[in-house]
Amino acid sequence: MQRYHDCPQILREFLIYHETIKGQSPLTISEYYLDLRMFLRFIKLMRNDMPISTDLETIDIKDVDLNFIRSIDTSEIFDFLSYLANDRPINPDNPAPEHGISASSRARKLSAIKSFYKYLTVRTKQLTENPVADLEYPKLRKSLPKYLTMEQSAALLQAVSGPNEKRDYAILMLFLNCGIRRSELVGLNLTDVYEDRIRVVGKGNKERFVYFGTACRKAIDAYLVERQEKVLSDNKALFGSRDNNRISVTAVHRLVKKALMQAGLDSTLFSAHKLRHTAATMMLSGGVDVKTVQEVLGHENLNTTQIYTHIENTELKIAAEANPLSKLDFSEKNHS
């Protein structure tokens, strides 16, 4: 928690609670920290009548205490949400940045605020009033996730080349076969690989086993021969980097983008996360029920998984239209 040196004590305690008691990932803790720091800085900005263009980074919040939090009312929270929607710069470093962040980004920040107040009212009972309890989230535009077709997936795998070919091929096979998250892949250890499955540590440190097929097993075996010859700084890691460290999320992002470009696919449309979407889509298209796909992906809520059923339905419709018999029309055939 040393990295949160500019935190007031009340926020630091909230972060420690989510890190140690709730077992949230470092990424989630960091997002809570950044979102709540911005929120508290904005409240101070408004109360001190500073210009809306004031750089929030310059506002000190170390003196924020429980009384300050207790004094924040719903109207101030609405002001913050309005600031995010209309005045928050999207790219602050741009000489002429656009303003107003997306609904999904606003929803994430409101979620952090709701978690903070729930902690103060329900968990620790330091407050009796929760000003965000009934606040609705911004309406999000629902869109189907992008994914690779079978042909594009095959082209991606065939295009893998370079000094880390076996490693990269094994990583892509795990994404496309198991649908694991990028952070889950980075966290894999040598001992997490079994004969026909891998042990994955997902969100909230929840463990699950994900099975893979023969082709994925062969890809992993081919890489393991190479891996056994390397000594990493964290030698438990399944996948290593060029500098002999555990592979990073950023490195995985780069290798996926590189493979996409080598395959002639648009690297701006697809990513490691889109490979996860691809795996889910392929499973459903292959007849796997949605509840099983939920368990494979590690989704806590079935609703998160059900978006893929829309893709499956679309694929089935395309398949029906592709059937040559669908073009035949005997409706006016004379049977006499």
Side-chain angles (χ1 to χ4, degrees):
M1 284 295 168
Q2 287 296 320
R3 59 193 180 279
Y4 305 130
H5 59 88
D6 56 349
C7 257
Q9 184 62 27
I10 192 167
L11 178 52
R12 186 187 298 271
E13 290 169 359
F14 166 77
L15 297 175
I16 292 172
Y17 167 78
H18 275 274
E19 182 179 58
T20 59
I21 306 300
K22 299 288 283 183
Q24 300 278 21
S25 70
L27 178 60
T28 300
I29 301 299
S30 178
E31 288 175 347
Y32 277 149
Y33 161 67
L34 294 172
D35 292 341
L36 291 169
R37 185 182 66 171
M38 180 190 296
F39 169 62
L40 295 173
R41 284 173 167 175
F42 176 82
I43 298 300
K44 289 197 80 172
L45 175 142
M46 296 300 290
R47 290 186 176 183
N48 294 332
D49 291 325
M50 300 180 195
I52 197 69
S53 58
T54 302
D55 184 0
L56 290 182
E57 298 294 319
T58 64
I59 298 175
D60 184 10
I61 58 168
K62 280 187 284 189
D63 62 339
V64 166
D65 57 13
L66 184 62
N67 287 331
F68 182 95
I69 302 296
R70 184 185 288 115
S71 69
I72 298 173
D73 58 29
T74 305
S75 65
E76 289 179 302
I77 295 167
F78 276 127
D79 285 340
F80 177 63
L81 295 176
S82 176
Y83 160 74
L84 295 176
N86 301 295
D87 301 305
R88 178 68 181 169
I90 298 176
N91 296 305
D93 296 331
N94 192 312
E98 295 182 24
H99 292 78
I101 63 175
S102 68
S104 60
S105 295
R106 300 199 308 273
R108 192 194 79 181
K109 289 176 178 18
L110 179 56
S111 177
I113 297 170
K114 279 177 172 282
S115 294
F116 186 44
Y117 275 99
K118 184 177 180 180
Y119 161 79
L120 292 171
T121 54
V122 178
R123 303 299 178 203
T124 62
K125 299 187 177 0
Q126 296 180 68
L127 296 179
T128 55
E129 299 292 327
N130 185 344
V132 293
D134 298 322
L135 252 60
E136 296 180 359
Y137 286 100
K139 191 170 183 179
L140 303 179
R141 181 176 65 86
K142 292 184 178 180
S143 59
L144 295 178
K146 291 183 174 61
Y147 61 97
L148 275 67
T149 63
M150 180 67 80
E151 292 74 18
Q152 289 172 325
S153 299
L156 179 66
L157 292 168
Q158 289 171 358
V160 177
S161 62
N164 295 303
E165 180 177 336
K166 288 185 172 62
R167 182 200 68 179
D168 295 355
Y169 186 81
I171 286 174
L172 293 175
M173 285 292 281
L174 280 170
F175 279 140
L176 289 169
N177 282 268
C178 301
I180 60 177
R181 299 177 177 93
R182 193 169 50 173
S183 58
E184 293 171 345
L185 181 130
V186 167
L188 287 175
N189 292 324
L190 288 164
T191 54
D192 292 328
V193 181
Y194 294 79
E195 186 64 30
D196 56 355
R197 63 199 184 278
I198 52 172
R199 185 183 69 93
V200 175
V201 180
K203 289 186 175 180
N205 287 325
K206 292 180 180 176
E207 296 183 9
R208 70 185 190 278
F209 282 99
V210 183
Y211 288 81
F212 48 69
T214 305
C216 191
R217 175 77 249 187
K218 286 181 179 178
I220 294 172
D221 285 343
Y223 164 68
L224 284 175
V225 173
E226 183 180 279
R227 169 65 182 86
Q228 299 300 340
E229 297 175 358
K230 295 189 73 172
V231 177
L232 306 180
S233 59
D234 180 359
N235 212 36
K236 297 180 298 182
L238 175 58
F239 294 109
S241 61
R242 286 180 303 179
D243 52 3
N244 292 327
N245 292 316
R246 179 184 290 270
I247 197 168
S248 67
V249 168
T250 304
V252 173
H253 172 78
R254 283 199 300 264
L255 75 85
V256 170
K257 292 292 183 182
K258 176 187 173 186
L260 286 164
M261 288 188 287
Q262 288 175 329
L265 299 170
D266 190 341
S267 63
T268 64
L269 293 179
F270 302 110
S271 62
H273 197 62
K274 299 300 185 292
L275 302 187
R276 177 170 158 85
H277 294 332
T278 301
T281 305
M282 295 298 177
M283 290 177 207
L284 285 165
S285 297
V288 180
D289 68 271
V290 68
K291 183 67 177 174
T292 301
V293 174
Q294 177 194 4
E295 293 179 16
V296 171
L297 297 180
H299 284 160
E300 191 168 330
N301 194 317
L302 185 61
N303 290 337
T304 310
T305 315
Q306 284 177 330
I307 189 171
Y308 297 109
T309 62
H310 300 299
I311 298 174
E312 180 197 12
N313 292 338
T314 303
E315 289 290 309
L316 293 174
K317 183 176 186 303
I318 293 171
E321 293 292 339
N323 188 327
L325 291 175
S326 69
K327 307 294 189 296
L328 299 179
D329 184 2
F330 297 110
S331 60
E332 296 184 14
K333 179 176 172 62
N334 188 346
H335 294 282
S336 58

mmCIF file of all heavy atoms in Angstrom, residues 169-210:
data_model
loop_
_atom_site.group_PDB
_atom_site.id
_atom_site.type_symbol
_atom_site.label_atom_id
_atom_site.label_comp_id
_atom_site.label_asym_id
_atom_site.label_seq_id
_atom_site.Cartn_x
_atom_site.Cartn_y
_atom_site.Cartn_z
ATOM 1 N N TYR A 169 2.686 -19.726 -30.064
ATOM 2 C CA TYR A 169 1.676 -20.645 -30.586
ATOM 3 C C TYR A 169 0.899 -21.290 -29.428
ATOM 4 O O TYR A 169 -0.338 -21.395 -29.468
ATOM 5 C CB TYR A 169 2.342 -21.730 -31.440
ATOM 6 C CG TYR A 169 1.369 -22.650 -32.143
ATOM 7 C CD1 TYR A 169 0.745 -22.269 -33.327
ATOM 8 C CD2 TYR A 169 1.063 -23.903 -31.622
ATOM 9 C CE1 TYR A 169 -0.147 -23.112 -33.974
ATOM 10 C CE2 TYR A 169 0.171 -24.754 -32.257
ATOM 11 C CZ TYR A 169 -0.426 -24.347 -33.434
ATOM 12 O OH TYR A 169 -1.318 -25.181 -34.067
ATOM 13 N N ALA A 170 1.618 -21.677 -28.378
ATOM 14 C CA ALA A 170 0.966 -22.284 -27.209
ATOM 15 C C ALA A 170 0.028 -21.288 -26.532
ATOM 16 O O ALA A 170 -1.080 -21.644 -26.099
ATOM 17 C CB ALA A 170 2.018 -22.776 -26.220
ATOM 18 N N ILE A 171 0.457 -20.027 -26.449
ATOM 19 C CA ILE A 171 -0.373 -18.991 -25.833
ATOM 20 C C ILE A 171 -1.656 -18.776 -26.631
ATOM 21 O O ILE A 171 -2.763 -18.722 -26.073
ATOM 22 C CB ILE A 171 0.425 -17.676 -25.704
ATOM 23 C CG1 ILE A 171 1.454 -17.797 -24.585
ATOM 24 C CG2 ILE A 171 -0.502 -16.481 -25.453
ATOM 25 C CD1 ILE A 171 2.400 -16.626 -24.459
ATOM 26 N N LEU A 172 -1.529 -18.675 -27.938
ATOM 27 C CA LEU A 172 -2.711 -18.478 -28.785
ATOM 28 C C LEU A 172 -3.644 -19.685 -28.708
ATOM 29 O O LEU A 172 -4.875 -19.535 -28.699
ATOM 30 C CB LEU A 172 -2.282 -18.215 -30.231
ATOM 31 C CG LEU A 172 -1.548 -16.896 -30.481
ATOM 32 C CD1 LEU A 172 -1.072 -16.814 -31.923
ATOM 33 C CD2 LEU A 172 -2.443 -15.699 -30.161
ATOM 34 N N MET A 173 -3.085 -20.882 -28.662
ATOM 35 C CA MET A 173 -3.910 -22.079 -28.538
ATOM 36 C C MET A 173 -4.684 -22.079 -27.218
ATOM 37 O O MET A 173 -5.858 -22.471 -27.172
ATOM 38 C CB MET A 173 -3.038 -23.332 -28.641
ATOM 39 C CG MET A 173 -2.574 -23.650 -30.043
ATOM 40 S SD MET A 173 -3.929 -24.152 -31.149
ATOM 41 C CE MET A 173 -4.169 -25.857 -30.644
ATOM 42 N N LEU A 174 -4.055 -21.641 -26.139
ATOM 43 C CA LEU A 174 -4.740 -21.576 -24.845
ATOM 44 C C LEU A 174 -5.873 -20.556 -24.882
ATOM 45 O O LEU A 174 -6.961 -20.803 -24.355
ATOM 46 C CB LEU A 174 -3.743 -21.229 -23.736
ATOM 47 C CG LEU A 174 -2.899 -22.399 -23.220
ATOM 48 C CD1 LEU A 174 -1.786 -21.898 -22.312
ATOM 49 C CD2 LEU A 174 -3.773 -23.406 -22.472
ATOM 50 N N PHE A 175 -5.619 -19.405 -25.492
ATOM 51 C CA PHE A 175 -6.674 -18.393 -25.616
ATOM 52 C C PHE A 175 -7.859 -18.942 -26.413
ATOM 53 O O PHE A 175 -9.011 -18.817 -26.008
ATOM 54 C CB PHE A 175 -6.137 -17.132 -26.306
ATOM 55 C CG PHE A 175 -5.384 -16.203 -25.396
ATOM 56 C CD1 PHE A 175 -4.234 -15.558 -25.836
ATOM 57 C CD2 PHE A 175 -5.827 -15.949 -24.108
ATOM 58 C CE1 PHE A 175 -3.533 -14.692 -25.004
ATOM 59 C CE2 PHE A 175 -5.138 -15.082 -23.264
ATOM 60 C CZ PHE A 175 -3.990 -14.459 -23.718
ATOM 61 N N LEU A 176 -7.568 -19.541 -27.562
ATOM 62 C CA LEU A 176 -8.625 -19.970 -28.478
ATOM 63 C C LEU A 176 -9.331 -21.243 -28.013
ATOM 64 O O LEU A 176 -10.494 -21.456 -28.351
ATOM 65 C CB LEU A 176 -8.042 -20.189 -29.883
ATOM 66 C CG LEU A 176 -7.625 -18.908 -30.624
ATOM 67 C CD1 LEU A 176 -6.823 -19.249 -31.867
ATOM 68 C CD2 LEU A 176 -8.852 -18.074 -30.999
ATOM 69 N N ASN A 177 -8.638 -22.073 -27.245
ATOM 70 C CA ASN A 177 -9.247 -23.318 -26.781
ATOM 71 C C ASN A 177 -9.885 -23.203 -25.411
ATOM 72 O O ASN A 177 -10.920 -23.824 -25.157
ATOM 73 C CB ASN A 177 -8.195 -24.437 -26.742
ATOM 74 C CG ASN A 177 -7.898 -25.012 -28.109
ATOM 75 O OD1 ASN A 177 -8.512 -25.981 -28.525
ATOM 76 N ND2 ASN A 177 -6.969 -24.395 -28.829
ATOM 77 N N CYS A 178 -9.281 -22.420 -24.545
ATOM 78 C CA CYS A 178 -9.733 -22.370 -23.148
ATOM 79 C C CYS A 178 -10.465 -21.081 -22.789
ATOM 80 O O CYS A 178 -11.117 -21.019 -21.744
ATOM 81 C CB CYS A 178 -8.547 -22.562 -22.205
ATOM 82 S SG CYS A 178 -7.685 -24.126 -22.453
ATOM 83 N N GLY A 179 -10.309 -20.040 -23.605
ATOM 84 C CA GLY A 179 -11.014 -18.784 -23.344
ATOM 85 C C GLY A 179 -10.589 -18.102 -22.062
ATOM 86 O O GLY A 179 -11.380 -17.401 -21.428
ATOM 87 N N ILE A 180 -9.327 -18.307 -21.638
ATOM 88 C CA ILE A 180 -8.879 -17.687 -20.390
ATOM 89 C C ILE A 180 -8.561 -16.210 -20.606
ATOM 90 O O ILE A 180 -8.344 -15.764 -21.716
ATOM 91 C CB ILE A 180 -7.659 -18.414 -19.795
ATOM 92 C CG1 ILE A 180 -6.475 -18.388 -20.766
ATOM 93 C CG2 ILE A 180 -8.024 -19.829 -19.410
ATOM 94 C CD1 ILE A 180 -5.207 -19.029 -20.195
ATOM 95 N N ARG A 181 -8.555 -15.467 -19.513
ATOM 96 C CA ARG A 181 -8.236 -14.040 -19.560
ATOM 97 C C ARG A 181 -6.717 -13.864 -19.704
ATOM 98 O O ARG A 181 -5.938 -14.742 -19.338
ATOM 99 C CB ARG A 181 -8.705 -13.341 -18.288
ATOM 100 C CG ARG A 181 -10.206 -13.419 -18.041
ATOM 101 C CD ARG A 181 -10.562 -12.750 -16.721
ATOM 102 N NE ARG A 181 -11.995 -12.742 -16.477
ATOM 103 C CZ ARG A 181 -12.646 -13.683 -15.784
ATOM 104 N NH1 ARG A 181 -11.969 -14.708 -15.275
ATOM 105 N NH2 ARG A 181 -13.954 -13.602 -15.598
ATOM 106 N N ARG A 182 -6.330 -12.690 -20.192
ATOM 107 C CA ARG A 182 -4.905 -12.394 -20.353
ATOM 108 C C ARG A 182 -4.181 -12.440 -19.004
ATOM 109 O O ARG A 182 -3.094 -12.996 -18.899
ATOM 110 C CB ARG A 182 -4.758 -11.011 -20.999
ATOM 111 C CG ARG A 182 -3.388 -10.683 -21.514
ATOM 112 C CD ARG A 182 -3.386 -9.440 -22.356
ATOM 113 N NE ARG A 182 -4.066 -8.314 -21.714
ATOM 114 C CZ ARG A 182 -4.079 -7.070 -22.196
ATOM 115 N NH1 ARG A 182 -3.457 -6.795 -23.328
ATOM 116 N NH2 ARG A 182 -4.713 -6.103 -21.582
ATOM 117 N N SER A 183 -4.807 -11.880 -17.966
ATOM 118 C CA SER A 183 -4.186 -11.887 -16.636
ATOM 119 C C SER A 183 -4.070 -13.305 -16.090
ATOM 120 O O SER A 183 -3.132 -13.631 -15.359
ATOM 121 C CB SER A 183 -5.006 -11.020 -15.673
ATOM 122 O OG SER A 183 -6.339 -11.487 -15.587
ATOM 123 N N GLU A 184 -5.026 -14.174 -16.451
ATOM 124 C CA GLU A 184 -4.988 -15.557 -16.003
ATOM 125 C C GLU A 184 -3.848 -16.308 -16.680
ATOM 126 O O GLU A 184 -3.169 -17.118 -16.050
ATOM 127 C CB GLU A 184 -6.322 -16.237 -16.300
ATOM 128 C CG GLU A 184 -7.483 -15.677 -15.469
ATOM 129 C CD GLU A 184 -8.839 -16.180 -15.906
ATOM 130 O OE1 GLU A 184 -8.950 -16.733 -17.024
ATOM 131 O OE2 GLU A 184 -9.804 -15.999 -15.140
ATOM 132 N N LEU A 185 -3.632 -16.034 -17.952
ATOM 133 C CA LEU A 185 -2.538 -16.676 -18.675
ATOM 134 C C LEU A 185 -1.187 -16.261 -18.094
ATOM 135 O O LEU A 185 -0.308 -17.092 -17.887
ATOM 136 C CB LEU A 185 -2.596 -16.329 -20.159
ATOM 137 C CG LEU A 185 -1.489 -16.987 -20.988
ATOM 138 C CD1 LEU A 185 -2.047 -17.693 -22.206
ATOM 139 C CD2 LEU A 185 -0.430 -15.985 -21.402
ATOM 140 N N VAL A 186 -1.035 -14.980 -17.814
ATOM 141 C CA VAL A 186 0.222 -14.466 -17.255
ATOM 142 C C VAL A 186 0.518 -15.129 -15.910
ATOM 143 O O VAL A 186 1.678 -15.380 -15.565
ATOM 144 C CB VAL A 186 0.133 -12.930 -17.111
ATOM 145 C CG1 VAL A 186 1.259 -12.395 -16.244
ATOM 146 C CG2 VAL A 186 0.154 -12.267 -18.481
ATOM 147 N N GLY A 187 -0.522 -15.441 -15.153
ATOM 148 C CA GLY A 187 -0.340 -16.022 -13.822
ATOM 149 C C GLY A 187 -0.116 -17.523 -13.807
ATOM 150 O O GLY A 187 0.123 -18.104 -12.740
ATOM 151 N N LEU A 188 -0.182 -18.176 -14.970
ATOM 152 C CA LEU A 188 -0.015 -19.635 -15.012
ATOM 153 C C LEU A 188 1.394 -20.049 -14.593
ATOM 154 O O LEU A 188 2.380 -19.450 -15.018
ATOM 155 C CB LEU A 188 -0.295 -20.160 -16.421
ATOM 156 C CG LEU A 188 -1.752 -20.197 -16.888
ATOM 157 C CD1 LEU A 188 -1.817 -20.618 -18.343
ATOM 158 C CD2 LEU A 188 -2.580 -21.134 -16.011
ATOM 159 N N ASN A 189 1.465 -21.100 -13.772
ATOM 160 C CA ASN A 189 2.737 -21.702 -13.374
ATOM 161 C C ASN A 189 2.900 -23.065 -14.041
ATOM 162 O O ASN A 189 1.922 -23.657 -14.524
ATOM 163 C CB ASN A 189 2.808 -21.872 -11.854
ATOM 164 C CG ASN A 189 2.890 -20.543 -11.135
ATOM 165 O OD1 ASN A 189 3.524 -19.597 -11.630
ATOM 166 N ND2 ASN A 189 2.251 -20.447 -9.985
ATOM 167 N N LEU A 190 4.111 -23.579 -14.054
ATOM 168 C CA LEU A 190 4.375 -24.900 -14.623
ATOM 169 C C LEU A 190 3.521 -25.971 -13.953
ATOM 170 O O LEU A 190 3.041 -26.906 -14.607
ATOM 171 C CB LEU A 190 5.856 -25.252 -14.469
ATOM 172 C CG LEU A 190 6.830 -24.470 -15.372
ATOM 173 C CD1 LEU A 190 8.257 -24.624 -14.851
ATOM 174 C CD2 LEU A 190 6.738 -24.950 -16.816
ATOM 175 N N THR A 191 3.308 -25.819 -12.651
ATOM 176 C CA THR A 191 2.522 -26.816 -11.906
ATOM 177 C C THR A 191 1.033 -26.715 -12.157
ATOM 178 O O THR A 191 0.263 -27.536 -11.647
ATOM 179 C CB THR A 191 2.794 -26.680 -10.398
ATOM 180 O OG1 THR A 191 2.558 -25.311 -10.002
ATOM 181 C CG2 THR A 191 4.222 -27.056 -10.060
ATOM 182 N N ASP A 192 0.602 -25.703 -12.916
ATOM 183 C CA ASP A 192 -0.827 -25.540 -13.223
ATOM 184 C C ASP A 192 -1.239 -26.333 -14.463
ATOM 185 O O ASP A 192 -2.417 -26.366 -14.814
ATOM 186 C CB ASP A 192 -1.164 -24.057 -13.447
ATOM 187 C CG ASP A 192 -1.055 -23.238 -12.176
ATOM 188 O OD1 ASP A 192 -1.331 -23.801 -11.099
ATOM 189 O OD2 ASP A 192 -0.685 -22.054 -12.259
ATOM 190 N N VAL A 193 -0.271 -26.949 -15.138
ATOM 191 C CA VAL A 193 -0.563 -27.719 -16.348
ATOM 192 C C VAL A 193 -0.699 -29.193 -15.997
ATOM 193 O O VAL A 193 0.235 -29.798 -15.470
ATOM 194 C CB VAL A 193 0.541 -27.534 -17.417
ATOM 195 C CG1 VAL A 193 0.203 -28.337 -18.668
ATOM 196 C CG2 VAL A 193 0.704 -26.055 -17.766
ATOM 197 N N TYR A 194 -1.870 -29.746 -16.285
ATOM 198 C CA TYR A 194 -2.119 -31.170 -16.055
ATOM 199 C C TYR A 194 -2.261 -31.872 -17.402
ATOM 200 O O TYR A 194 -2.135 -31.252 -18.463
ATOM 201 C CB TYR A 194 -3.383 -31.345 -15.201
ATOM 202 C CG TYR A 194 -3.237 -30.800 -13.798
ATOM 203 C CD1 TYR A 194 -3.357 -29.429 -13.548
ATOM 204 C CD2 TYR A 194 -2.968 -31.637 -12.725
ATOM 205 C CE1 TYR A 194 -3.211 -28.917 -12.265
ATOM 206 C CE2 TYR A 194 -2.824 -31.148 -11.435
ATOM 207 C CZ TYR A 194 -2.942 -29.780 -11.211
ATOM 208 O OH TYR A 194 -2.796 -29.274 -9.947
ATOM 209 N N GLU A 195 -2.538 -33.147 -17.372
ATOM 210 C CA GLU A 195 -2.584 -33.944 -18.594
ATOM 211 C C GLU A 195 -3.573 -33.397 -19.618
ATOM 212 O O GLU A 195 -3.266 -33.303 -20.804
ATOM 213 C CB GLU A 195 -2.949 -35.399 -18.247
ATOM 214 C CG GLU A 195 -2.892 -36.359 -19.423
ATOM 215 C CD GLU A 195 -1.488 -36.514 -19.992
ATOM 216 O OE1 GLU A 195 -0.508 -36.386 -19.224
ATOM 217 O OE2 GLU A 195 -1.376 -36.753 -21.207
ATOM 218 N N ASP A 196 -4.771 -33.021 -19.153
ATOM 219 C CA ASP A 196 -5.804 -32.582 -20.090
ATOM 220 C C ASP A 196 -6.486 -31.289 -19.669
ATOM 221 O O ASP A 196 -7.548 -30.943 -20.152
ATOM 222 C CB ASP A 196 -6.875 -33.675 -20.240
ATOM 223 C CG ASP A 196 -7.494 -34.065 -18.895
ATOM 224 O OD1 ASP A 196 -7.023 -33.548 -17.853
ATOM 225 O OD2 ASP A 196 -8.435 -34.879 -18.884
ATOM 226 N N ARG A 197 -5.856 -30.542 -18.741
ATOM 227 C CA ARG A 197 -6.478 -29.312 -18.244
ATOM 228 C C ARG A 197 -5.431 -28.412 -17.598
ATOM 229 O O ARG A 197 -4.315 -28.852 -17.325
ATOM 230 C CB ARG A 197 -7.575 -29.637 -17.234
ATOM 231 C CG ARG A 197 -7.104 -30.346 -15.978
ATOM 232 C CD ARG A 197 -8.262 -31.038 -15.268
ATOM 233 N NE ARG A 197 -7.872 -31.641 -14.009
ATOM 234 C CZ ARG A 197 -7.296 -32.836 -13.896
ATOM 235 N NH1 ARG A 197 -7.025 -33.529 -14.978
ATOM 236 N NH2 ARG A 197 -6.983 -33.310 -12.701
ATOM 237 N N ILE A 198 -5.841 -27.170 -17.361
ATOM 238 C CA ILE A 198 -4.989 -26.228 -16.629
ATOM 239 C C ILE A 198 -5.765 -25.695 -15.425
ATOM 240 O O ILE A 198 -6.994 -25.616 -15.449
ATOM 241 C CB ILE A 198 -4.535 -25.036 -17.507
ATOM 242 C CG1 ILE A 198 -5.729 -24.350 -18.183
ATOM 243 C CG2 ILE A 198 -3.487 -25.454 -18.507
ATOM 244 C CD1 ILE A 198 -5.387 -23.063 -18.900
ATOM 245 N N ARG A 199 -5.021 -25.362 -14.392
ATOM 246 C CA ARG A 199 -5.628 -24.729 -13.216
ATOM 247 C C ARG A 199 -5.445 -23.225 -13.361
ATOM 248 O O ARG A 199 -4.331 -22.735 -13.517
ATOM 249 C CB ARG A 199 -4.957 -25.218 -11.929
ATOM 250 C CG ARG A 199 -5.616 -24.703 -10.647
ATOM 251 C CD ARG A 199 -4.837 -25.172 -9.425
ATOM 252 N NE ARG A 199 -3.548 -24.497 -9.365
ATOM 253 C CZ ARG A 199 -3.331 -23.358 -8.683
ATOM 254 N NH1 ARG A 199 -4.319 -22.773 -8.036
ATOM 255 N NH2 ARG A 199 -2.124 -22.829 -8.659
ATOM 256 N N VAL A 200 -6.556 -22.503 -13.311
ATOM 257 C CA VAL A 200 -6.543 -21.066 -13.553
ATOM 258 C C VAL A 200 -6.993 -20.333 -12.300
ATOM 259 O O VAL A 200 -7.951 -20.755 -11.628
ATOM 260 C CB VAL A 200 -7.488 -20.708 -14.731
ATOM 261 C CG1 VAL A 200 -7.576 -19.201 -14.921
ATOM 262 C CG2 VAL A 200 -7.009 -21.373 -16.017
ATOM 263 N N VAL A 201 -6.302 -19.249 -11.960
ATOM 264 C CA VAL A 201 -6.721 -18.377 -10.861
ATOM 265 C C VAL A 201 -7.348 -17.134 -11.486
ATOM 266 O O VAL A 201 -6.663 -16.341 -12.125
ATOM 267 C CB VAL A 201 -5.536 -17.991 -9.948
ATOM 268 C CG1 VAL A 201 -6.018 -17.082 -8.818
ATOM 269 C CG2 VAL A 201 -4.861 -19.240 -9.386
ATOM 270 N N GLY A 202 -8.657 -16.998 -11.312
ATOM 271 C CA GLY A 202 -9.391 -15.911 -11.959
ATOM 272 C C GLY A 202 -9.656 -14.735 -11.049
ATOM 273 O O GLY A 202 -8.953 -14.528 -10.050
ATOM 274 N N LYS A 203 -10.692 -13.990 -11.379
ATOM 275 C CA LYS A 203 -11.049 -12.799 -10.598
ATOM 276 C C LYS A 203 -11.417 -13.200 -9.173
ATOM 277 O O LYS A 203 -12.042 -14.226 -8.942
ATOM 278 C CB LYS A 203 -12.224 -12.079 -11.251
ATOM 279 C CG LYS A 203 -11.859 -11.385 -12.564
ATOM 280 C CD LYS A 203 -13.020 -10.568 -13.086
ATOM 281 C CE LYS A 203 -12.621 -9.770 -14.328
ATOM 282 N NZ LYS A 203 -13.730 -8.961 -14.852
ATOM 283 N N GLY A 204 -11.008 -12.361 -8.221
ATOM 284 C CA GLY A 204 -11.281 -12.655 -6.819
ATOM 285 C C GLY A 204 -10.524 -13.861 -6.307
ATOM 286 O O GLY A 204 -10.914 -14.484 -5.315
ATOM 287 N N ASN A 205 -9.400 -14.208 -6.991
ATOM 288 C CA ASN A 205 -8.566 -15.355 -6.617
ATOM 289 C C ASN A 205 -9.333 -16.676 -6.627
ATOM 290 O O ASN A 205 -8.991 -17.619 -5.896
ATOM 291 C CB ASN A 205 -7.923 -15.143 -5.236
ATOM 292 C CG ASN A 205 -6.807 -14.119 -5.276
ATOM 293 O OD1 ASN A 205 -6.080 -14.021 -6.259
ATOM 294 N ND2 ASN A 205 -6.678 -13.334 -4.220
ATOM 295 N N LYS A 206 -10.390 -16.743 -7.446
ATOM 296 C CA LYS A 206 -11.160 -17.981 -7.548
ATOM 297 C C LYS A 206 -10.478 -18.932 -8.532
ATOM 298 O O LYS A 206 -10.126 -18.534 -9.637
ATOM 299 C CB LYS A 206 -12.589 -17.678 -8.013
ATOM 300 C CG LYS A 206 -13.408 -16.911 -6.976
ATOM 301 C CD LYS A 206 -14.816 -16.629 -7.479
ATOM 302 C CE LYS A 206 -15.618 -15.860 -6.443
ATOM 303 N NZ LYS A 206 -16.958 -15.502 -6.953
ATOM 304 N N GLU A 207 -10.314 -20.168 -8.090
ATOM 305 C CA GLU A 207 -9.645 -21.168 -8.921
ATOM 306 C C GLU A 207 -10.667 -21.990 -9.712
ATOM 307 O O GLU A 207 -11.775 -22.239 -9.234
ATOM 308 C CB GLU A 207 -8.812 -22.110 -8.051
ATOM 309 C CG GLU A 207 -7.668 -21.429 -7.336
ATOM 310 C CD GLU A 207 -6.822 -22.411 -6.538
ATOM 311 O OE1 GLU A 207 -7.047 -23.623 -6.693
ATOM 312 O OE2 GLU A 207 -5.961 -21.955 -5.779
ATOM 313 N N ARG A 208 -10.267 -22.381 -10.923
ATOM 314 C CA ARG A 208 -11.096 -23.287 -11.714
ATOM 315 C C ARG A 208 -10.188 -24.105 -12.620
ATOM 316 O O ARG A 208 -9.060 -23.698 -12.915
ATOM 317 C CB ARG A 208 -12.135 -22.525 -12.543
ATOM 318 C CG ARG A 208 -11.576 -21.706 -13.700
ATOM 319 C CD ARG A 208 -12.676 -20.890 -14.374
ATOM 320 N NE ARG A 208 -12.231 -20.270 -15.611
ATOM 321 C CZ ARG A 208 -11.547 -19.136 -15.676
ATOM 322 N NH1 ARG A 208 -11.226 -18.493 -14.565
ATOM 323 N NH2 ARG A 208 -11.187 -18.638 -16.854
ATOM 324 N N PHE A 209 -10.668 -25.255 -13.039
ATOM 325 C CA PHE A 209 -9.950 -26.073 -14.012
ATOM 326 C C PHE A 209 -10.599 -25.891 -15.374
ATOM 327 O O PHE A 209 -11.829 -25.879 -15.489
ATOM 328 C CB PHE A 209 -9.980 -27.551 -13.612
ATOM 329 C CG PHE A 209 -9.009 -27.906 -12.527
ATOM 330 C CD1 PHE A 209 -9.420 -28.024 -11.205
ATOM 331 C CD2 PHE A 209 -7.668 -28.103 -12.828
ATOM 332 C CE1 PHE A 209 -8.514 -28.341 -10.210
ATOM 333 C CE2 PHE A 209 -6.746 -28.423 -11.833
ATOM 334 C CZ PHE A 209 -7.171 -28.542 -10.524
ATOM 335 N N VAL A 210 -9.772 -25.713 -16.399
ATOM 336 C CA VAL A 210 -10.257 -25.578 -17.770
ATOM 337 C C VAL A 210 -9.598 -26.679 -18.603
ATOM 338 O O VAL A 210 -8.373 -26.797 -18.631
ATOM 339 C CB VAL A 210 -9.924 -24.196 -18.361
ATOM 340 C CG1 VAL A 210 -10.514 -24.073 -19.768
ATOM 341 C CG2 VAL A 210 -10.464 -23.082 -17.462
#
